[in-house]
Amino acid sequence: MPPILPPFADPTGFAQQSLARVRSTSPLVQCLTNSVVTGFTANVLLALGASPAMVDIPEEAGPFARIASGVLVNLGTPHAEQRSAMVEAAGAATSAGTPWVLDPVAVGALPVRTALARELLELRPTVIRGNASEILALAGAGGGGRGVDSSDGVETAGESAGELARRTGCVVAVSGPVDFVTDGVRSARIANGDALLTRVTGGGCALGAVMAAFAAVDEDRFAATVAAVTVYTVAAELAAKEASGPGSFAVAFLDALAALEPADLAERAALS
């Protein structure tokens, strides 16, 4: 795992400022995501203060990516029409300079999405977010996990994440009990969050949309990704305090995102 280098002078302060920018500018985030998580992802963006747009059909996806503030491409349920729209949107986003996030769900384990992920990788995503097995597979260092579940630890994927970031020029975020973010030179670990996030459909997928929102408001996309993960996982901790199980957690999480204060980040952010 690459050692951390100081990413910026005050990462917690940066997260506070980034959150304020998201709330004040309400970035328009285009989501080409899987059918299981569409509603939850939209609600997460709304709670955060961003504006979701689920524009995911060919002939609309590309033009919309040019006017969106950020784009999420999530490979959870990539039917044929959506696959075409994803390539169209990713190409248009890259051409227009729109930051976009690739979430290569179950890559390596399944052939159609693996081929699609490699095609999308050539279109130069701004950020790649996945679990350790997905990142290892995308980097060519593993065969994938158990579908959407990781069979590898975050520490195992650190070197491959750094190599993938350097090769593609993107930021790579590895999700797990301790999240790892790198741009190939700088790296950070965020030790916030709660296990209940893994028991809610869309808990990981919606984070990709949040990363797109934060990338839209800050040009330092590494710092923006660290901020997105910090905000998301601190909100999860606060929600878990109020929840009695996965159902109440999902509701409490949306409320926590909406109510999150700078003081919460200052008190809880566990960055290293």
Side-chain angles (χ1 to χ4, degrees):
M1 178 77 74
I4 188 169
L5 297 174
F8 29 86
D10 180 10
T12 301
F14 190 94
Q16 294 169 328
Q17 295 164 13
S18 291
L19 176 59
R21 281 190 283 272
V22 169
R23 287 173 170 168
S24 65
T25 62
S26 190
L28 178 62
V29 181
Q30 179 183 6
C31 299
L32 298 91
T33 192
N34 72 76
S35 58
V36 182
V37 306
T38 304
F40 186 74
T41 299
N43 284 333
V44 163
L45 287 171
L46 288 169
L48 187 67
S51 179
M54 278 41 192
V55 181
D56 66 348
I57 61 174
E59 299 182 37
E60 290 186 358
F64 199 89
R66 294 181 179 276
I67 63 171
S69 307
V71 177
L72 166 67
V73 176
N74 174 294
L75 307 189
T77 54
H79 56 75
E81 186 177 52
Q82 193 185 55
R83 293 199 299 273
S84 296
M86 287 174 172
V87 173
E88 181 184 307
T94 298
S95 176
T98 305
W100 68 280
V101 177
L102 172 62
D103 191 335
V105 179
V107 69
L110 297 167
V112 173
R113 71 192 63 224
T114 299
L116 176 60
R118 300 205 181 284
E119 182 179 4
L120 289 166
L121 195 60
E122 295 299 315
L123 297 172
R124 304 188 66 82
T126 310
V127 181
I128 300 170
R129 188 218 76 87
N131 64 39
S133 293
E134 291 162 349
I135 297 302
L136 284 165
L138 196 60
R146 301 177 303 160
V148 299
D149 295 325
S150 180
S151 58
D152 298 284
V154 173
E155 293 291 322
T156 306
E159 292 292 343
S160 293
E163 292 170 6
L164 181 62
R166 287 187 290 273
R167 187 172 80 236
T168 61
C170 69
V171 176
V172 178
V174 188
S175 293
V178 176
D179 296 284
F180 177 70
V181 179
T182 182
D183 63 1
V185 177
R186 299 172 292 176
S187 58
R189 297 172 180 83
I190 304 98
N192 293 106
D194 192 90
L196 281 171
L197 263 178
T198 66
R199 298 178 64 192
V200 173
T201 299
C205 295
L207 177 54
V210 172
M211 289 177 178
F214 276 75
V217 301
D218 283 302
E219 291 187 2
D220 185 338
R221 271 50 189 270
F222 168 74
T225 304
V226 173
V229 175
T230 303
V231 165
Y232 198 82
T233 54
V234 167
E237 288 184 354
L238 294 171
K241 292 173 58 180
E242 307 297 326
S244 58
S248 55
F249 173 80
V251 175
F253 181 56
L254 296 177
D255 289 343
L257 281 171
L260 194 67
E261 296 286 347
D264 297 320
L265 296 173
E267 178 183 352
R268 291 183 168 271
L271 288 150
S272 63

